[in-house]
Each structure stands twice: as C-alpha cells, then as structure tokens.
Amino acid sequence: MPQFGNWEVNKDGIRWIGEFDYLIPKDNLGDPMSIKGETDQMFDTLLHMTEKTWLTEADLYTLNTAFVFAIDHLGIEHSPHLNFAKTFEEQQRLYKEYSKDEDDGLGL
C-alpha cells in the first residue's frame, strides 16, 4: 500500500499509522463543505483534521499528499466545485488558529 509519512492509502481509505489507529473512510473523502456565497466548495475531511491535536503541521501536509493520491487512485467521485487550493488555504488558516489557541492554553 502507498504510504505518505504516517498515512497509508488502502482500499478502505486513508489510515494513520502511528501510536494508535485512525481511519478516514473512503466514503468520506469526497464530502464537500460549502463556502457561504461562493460556488466553490472545500474538502470537509481536510478541514476537519485541523482539529486533531495529535497531528503536526507536517502530518497535515503529508495527509494532503495522501488525500490527493487517494482521490485519484481510489476513483473518488466528487463535485467539480470542490477546490483544492481553497481547501489548503483554509486548512492552513485553521491549523494556525487552533495552534494559537493551544499555545494560549485555550485548547479545543
């Protein structure tokens, strides 16, 4: 199975190979998140993962690589309005926001 950092792409989806087991199911990979007032949408899974306090920024970047590979390799159908660039920009903003909250002792 192809592996990107601690992420393995398999027939079930994308699995975290680390201290514990975490699976992003294949059926969730194409889920959209709408952007109010815009036609473009973002990939919900990639934004949701910013809330995981056990992931580093490098883990998110390797997840992005595994995710793009999985979309193609597993033949995931998704809306043509899903936009990787907007998703990655928002993911980075959210990660920095959540990281700042943790640094301030606020947590999630």
Side-chain angles (χ1 to χ4, degrees):
M1 296 292 148
Q3 191 167 334
F4 305 89
N6 287 331
W7 298 101
E8 177 188 82
V9 177
N10 61 43
K11 65 178 178 52
D12 299 319
I14 304 172
R15 182 174 302 282
W16 170 259
I17 311 287
E19 292 181 26
F20 55 90
D21 189 49
Y22 186 87
L23 176 69
I24 302 170
K26 175 183 174 180
D27 293 343
N28 294 0
L29 297 179
D31 290 351
M33 173 184 274
S34 295
I35 306 168
K36 188 174 182 175
E38 293 193 31
T39 305
D40 287 336
Q41 299 173 320
M42 295 181 279
F43 288 90
D44 184 61
T45 298
L46 294 178
L47 300 181
H48 170 74
M49 294 304 289
T50 62
E51 299 173 13
K52 305 298 182 194
T53 57
W54 46 271
L55 289 178
T56 67
E57 192 169 15
D59 294 329
L60 282 175
Y61 291 156
T62 55
L63 169 60
N64 291 346
T65 303
F67 190 90
V68 172
F69 178 85
I71 291 287
D72 187 57
H73 183 71
L74 299 174
I76 304 297
E77 293 189 24
H78 57 82
S79 166
H81 297 291
L82 280 166
N83 185 306
F84 276 109
K86 286 190 179 196
T87 301
F88 295 151
E89 287 175 344
E90 181 65 5
Q91 181 192 61
Q92 187 175 51
R93 186 193 70 74
L94 288 172
Y95 180 79
K96 288 179 180 178
E97 180 180 306
Y98 293 143
S99 294
K100 181 185 179 305
D101 287 349
E102 283 186 18
D103 291 342
D104 292 343
L106 301 176
L108 292 176

